[in-house]
Amino acid sequence: MATLREKTALLRGLLASEIAHVGPFYVTVDVTRRCNLRCPGCRYHSSVVNMPSPGDKGILDTSLDMLEDMCDELRTMGTQSMILIGEGEPFLHPRLFDLIHAAKRIGLHVTLLTNGTMLDEARVKALIDSHLDTLKVSCWASSSDEYQRNYPGADPDNFQKIIAGLQRLAHTKAKYRTRLPRIVLHQPINANNFQSVEAMADLAYTTGCNMLSFSPFKTRRGKLASLSLSPDQEELLRLTLCRMKRKLASLSITHNIDQTLLRYKIGEAVWEKLPCYIGWLHARVKVDGTVLSCNPCDLPMGNLREKSFRAIWNDHPYKDFRKKTRTRRGLIAMGGHCDCGFCCHVEDNARIYRIFRWVPPGFGGGSIRKAS
């Protein structure tokens, strides 16, 4: 949790200027561009989407030295957590566990995202030894048949590999009497799987997961619109998710259902409802050192091969981004660079907006609909 001093520093920047006096509170680091899957909804490896990503495509893996240098800076900037993700599958990075150690060394809460197909015995043991805080496994399906519908062309045995890996991790945690890493099963919801979200609760329970999370499916600027939910399907999903909360509580499984419902309530056109404060809270670092405000935005804020992270954090690109994304007009102007549909940062933005909506627009608040 942010300290009172850090929250005060955040508010000071939001009120007075485009300069961030603290943070980012959390950083997302792309670990590798390599992947063993070609998921249809992936912006990097899907043959359907194929959305470009900024940076040097010749660099495939994040440098350990670069991450260690950045961590040394983050130690003094109020950063609390790091999410290790990727344009691909993080377990394909040859020094993944060294990257985890670098972040844990400075006391960060570390979350690792994976497709779950590579959780063999050796990696499971290494995860526990690394003291990783959270392992988040993304799976679009609750059964083998559903997996094949959502991952066309993928190895049909992958679903059982995921199940076996999750169970192996849960059993090994019990063997060593450790609660870490916390296991999160995550499902992006689309037209192929929304009717089986309740089955994910049973799957989370039988595989020993601690949490079940969901997210609305991103259509990637309409390229995957056929997988989006109709208004009637969204309403049916809402009722199902509300009903699931009691079942998950009985299974002692936490969830993010309230946050998911908020994202659906705000809708895909999030820029019409909320300002964006992510430029004050977060940074995403690509494998070649390119720094972005968040992943769906392709505007580089700088590169760690050229400047320190601290210098990038308050350089002109970041300050300009912060200024533009606080008004509706600015957000619309950023539409060519930012794919904000069903933004994953809605909860953070809504929390800040609940305070700043009462501040006059000249000070960075006011109604998003009236901001100029």
Side-chain angles (χ1 to χ4, degrees):
M1 294 290 292
T3 65
L4 178 60
R5 178 175 177 272
E6 290 163 349
K7 291 178 180 178
T8 302
L10 171 65
L11 295 178
R12 176 186 166 202
L14 283 165
L15 283 168
S17 67
E18 282 71 52
I19 297 175
H21 300 286
V22 68
F25 290 145
Y26 60 107
V27 173
T28 303
V29 177
D30 277 286
V31 171
T32 183
R33 298 185 193 272
R34 310 171 195 269
C35 198
N36 59 339
L37 296 180
R38 297 293 181 267
C39 304
C42 176
R43 61 183 291 134
Y44 308 112
H45 298 283
S46 168
S47 59
V48 180
V49 178
N50 192 26
M51 298 179 75
S53 175
D56 185 347
K57 305 300 188 296
I59 299 177
L60 298 179
D61 301 312
T62 288
S63 159
L64 176 60
D65 290 341
M66 182 182 75
L67 185 73
E68 288 177 332
D69 289 344
M70 182 176 69
C71 285
D72 288 338
E73 293 187 86
L74 296 178
R75 186 200 300 267
T76 62
M77 293 179 68
T79 302
Q80 301 160 28
S81 63
M82 180 174 288
I83 303 167
L84 299 178
I85 191 169
E87 291 188 16
E89 169 51 48
F91 279 109
L92 292 174
H93 192 293
R95 302 191 67 181
L96 173 63
F97 294 100
D98 292 326
L99 299 179
I100 295 172
H101 175 74
K104 291 298 298 178
R105 174 179 58 85
I106 65 165
L108 294 180
H109 181 285
V110 182
T111 298
L112 175 66
L113 273 65
T114 174
N115 61 35
T117 60
M118 300 180 67
L119 293 173
D120 59 20
E121 186 174 346
R123 292 187 180 95
V124 162
K125 179 61 165 60
L127 283 174
I128 291 175
D129 290 342
S130 73
H131 302 292
L132 178 77
D133 296 283
T134 303
L135 182 74
K136 188 173 183 178
V137 178
S138 178
C139 183
W140 300 8
S142 59
S143 67
S144 295
D145 289 342
E146 194 171 69
Y147 188 91
Q148 291 181 57
R149 288 197 300 273
N150 280 279
Y151 298 83
D155 184 345
D157 292 334
N158 278 349
F159 182 76
Q160 294 305 321
K161 289 180 182 177
I162 296 170
I163 302 305
L166 288 170
Q167 292 175 334
R168 182 178 295 115
L169 178 55
H171 292 161
T172 307
K173 284 172 56 180
K175 176 182 176 180
Y176 287 95
R177 298 182 180 180
T178 179
R179 295 195 296 177
L180 297 179
R182 189 164 177 256
I183 310 171
V184 180
L185 182 61
H186 178 74
Q187 181 187 40
I189 302 173
N190 62 38
N192 285 339
N193 62 25
F194 81 99
Q195 292 180 307
S196 61
V197 292
E198 286 183 285
M200 294 299 289
D202 296 322
L203 186 64
Y205 179 73
T206 59
T207 54
C209 294
N210 307 104
M211 179 177 180
L212 179 61
S213 70
F214 301 100
S215 63
F217 184 77
K218 295 178 72 69
T219 66
R220 307 302 181 194
R221 300 183 186 274
K223 294 182 179 181
L224 297 169
S226 63
L227 293 175
S228 63
L229 302 185
S230 69
D232 288 344
Q233 289 172 332
E234 280 193 21
E235 177 60 18
L236 178 60
L237 173 67
R238 185 188 70 80
L239 295 173
T240 302
L241 290 176
C242 289
R243 185 170 63 243
M244 284 178 62
K245 289 195 275 187
R246 180 176 295 180
K247 178 177 182 177
L248 289 169
S250 70
L251 298 175
S252 299
I253 296 174
T254 59
H255 57 81
N256 74 335
I257 288 177
D258 289 338
Q259 296 92 325
T260 302
L261 293 173
L262 174 64
R263 291 175 70 179
Y264 278 112
K265 180 180 179 180
I266 296 294
E268 188 165 18
V270 62
W271 54 90
E272 295 181 353
K273 305 289 182 63
L274 289 173
C276 177
Y277 301 105
I278 201 61
W280 305 86
L281 305 173
H282 171 263
R284 178 145 184 168
V285 181
K286 309 300 286 184
V287 297
D288 70 318
T290 298
V291 177
L292 306 175
S293 57
C294 66
N295 194 48
C297 186
D298 62 14
L299 283 173
M301 301 291 107
N303 192 293
L304 294 177
R305 294 168 177 265
E306 301 167 0
K307 294 183 178 181
S308 69
F309 184 84
R310 184 182 290 275
I312 292 171
W313 184 235
N314 274 313
D315 206 355
H316 294 295
Y318 245 120
K319 289 192 288 186
D320 187 56
F321 179 86
R322 291 173 186 137
K323 181 177 181 179
K324 287 181 178 177
T325 55
R326 289 167 68 168
T327 69
R328 185 178 185 186
R329 180 181 298 176
L331 284 168
I332 292 173
M334 296 285 282
H337 295 285
C338 300
D339 180 17
C340 296
F342 285 126
C343 174
C344 60
H345 302 294
V346 158
E347 187 182 12
D348 288 332
N349 287 330
R351 186 182 298 116
I352 295 176
Y353 187 52
R354 280 195 288 270
I355 299 172
F356 276 84
R357 66 187 301 177
W358 306 111
V359 179
F363 291 92
S367 170
I368 186 68
R369 295 186 180 277
K370 296 179 181 178
S372 60

